[in-house]
């Protein structure tokens, strides 16, 4: 967990298959042309937190292999159902978030929520058998008492995806911008298959 300190504090992160950072920003409701290539220290100087226009989040996005990531600080846009429905349209998205003492794991596919629970909160455990519930619980139990936040869950997802997003990687220059919560998607947009039967074969590859 020493290499994932960024995932311990208040943060939200999404991993989406096959998108570019520009597409990720667009689906979040941001304007990609406003992004600047900034390292962690420089990006932290951008305005975030509460402002007259409401909550403003710092978003940093990039692509590693097949997966685009977006790390959000000082906000909760990344785990809202509207944002995740839009982000996962035509593909799949994993979301891990911790905000004000609440941790959430979600998995979305083509605008549909497949998994959504709060680790450790039994009342949120999916009624149907969920391999992710057991894996997430085991990951957190292995680091109990270490004040690791949701970092063990992020590590679990990264291992599942076969990519690295540790402190050193995230500290480098990545496209960065700020986004007001009011500008985030309020409803899914674009074409989805949610009302058109199963997703056509080959549209989404599931790990």
């Amino acid at each position: 967990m020493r290499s994932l300190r960024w995932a311990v504090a208040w943060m939200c992160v999404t991993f989406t298959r096959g998108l570019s950072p520009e597409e990720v920003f667009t689906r979040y409701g941001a304007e990609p042309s406003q992004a600047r290539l900034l390292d962690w220290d420089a990006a932290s100087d951008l305005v975030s937190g509460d402002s007259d226009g409401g909550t403003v989040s710092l978003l940093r996005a990039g692509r590693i292999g097949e997966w685009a990531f977006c790390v959000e600080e000082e906000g909760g846009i990344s785990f809202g159902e509207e944002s995740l429905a839009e982000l996962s349209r035509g593909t799949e998205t994993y979301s891990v978030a911790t905000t004000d003492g609440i941790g959430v794991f979600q998995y979305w596919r083509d605008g549909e929520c497949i998994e959504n629970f709060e680790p450790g909160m039994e009342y949120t455990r999916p009624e149907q058998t969920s391999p992710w519930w057991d894996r997430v619980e085991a990951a957190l139990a292995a680091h109990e008492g270490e004040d690791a936040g949701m970092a063990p869950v992020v590590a679990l997802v990264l291992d599942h995806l076969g990519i690295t997003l540790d402190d050193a990687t995230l500290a480098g220059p990545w496209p960065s911008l700020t986004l007001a919560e009011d500008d985030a998607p309020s409803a899914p947009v674009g074409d989805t298959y949610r009302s058109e039967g199963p997703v056509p074969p080959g549209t989404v590859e599931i790990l």
Side-chain angles (χ1 to χ4, degrees):
M1 293 303 99
R2 289 192 297 271
S3 65
L4 285 174
R5 297 308 301 171
W6 68 265
V8 174
W10 183 321
M11 65 85 210
C12 302
V13 60
T14 58
F15 301 96
T16 304
R17 183 192 291 275
L19 298 186
S20 67
E22 293 77 16
E23 290 172 314
V24 169
F25 284 142
T26 297
R27 295 191 184 202
Y28 267 83
E31 174 50 59
S33 64
Q34 295 180 354
R36 290 185 286 163
L37 196 63
L38 302 173
D39 63 22
W40 200 341
D41 290 337
S44 296
D45 291 336
L46 297 178
V47 176
S48 63
D50 294 329
S51 67
D52 293 339
T55 301
V56 176
S57 295
L58 169 61
L59 303 179
R60 303 188 71 218
R63 179 161 172 164
I64 303 174
E66 290 187 276
W67 294 89
F69 70 85
C70 186
V71 176
E72 176 185 2
E73 298 181 20
E74 301 294 338
I77 296 171
S78 302
F79 71 100
E81 63 178 44
E82 293 86 0
S83 295
L84 289 172
E86 175 61 13
L87 197 60
S88 66
R89 177 169 49 85
T91 183
E92 55 182 327
T93 299
Y94 292 88
S95 171
V96 180
T98 176
T99 62
D100 198 20
I102 298 175
V104 182
F105 171 87
Q106 296 186 69
Y107 171 61
W108 285 67
R109 185 169 67 239
D110 196 37
E112 293 285 354
C113 182
I114 310 300
E115 299 271 4
N116 183 2
F117 57 83
E118 297 176 40
M121 299 298 176
E122 188 69 26
Y123 69 92
T124 70
R125 182 173 185 163
E127 294 182 3
Q128 297 180 344
T129 301
S130 169
W132 276 106
W133 170 272
D134 293 335
R135 296 172 69 183
V136 166
E137 291 298 296
L140 290 175
H143 296 276
E144 187 175 0
E146 296 182 15
D147 193 26
M150 290 287 278
V153 183
V154 173
L156 179 67
V157 174
L158 289 170
D159 182 67
H160 177 72
L161 303 181
I163 61 176
T164 298
L165 187 61
D166 55 16
D167 292 340
T169 303
L170 192 59
W174 295 101
S176 308
L177 52 72
T178 57
L179 177 66
E181 194 171 274
D182 291 344
D183 294 331
S186 58
V189 296
D191 297 329
T192 74
Y193 295 104
R194 290 183 296 152
S195 302
E196 302 171 17
V199 177
T203 302
V204 179
E205 179 185 355
I206 306 302
L207 292 179

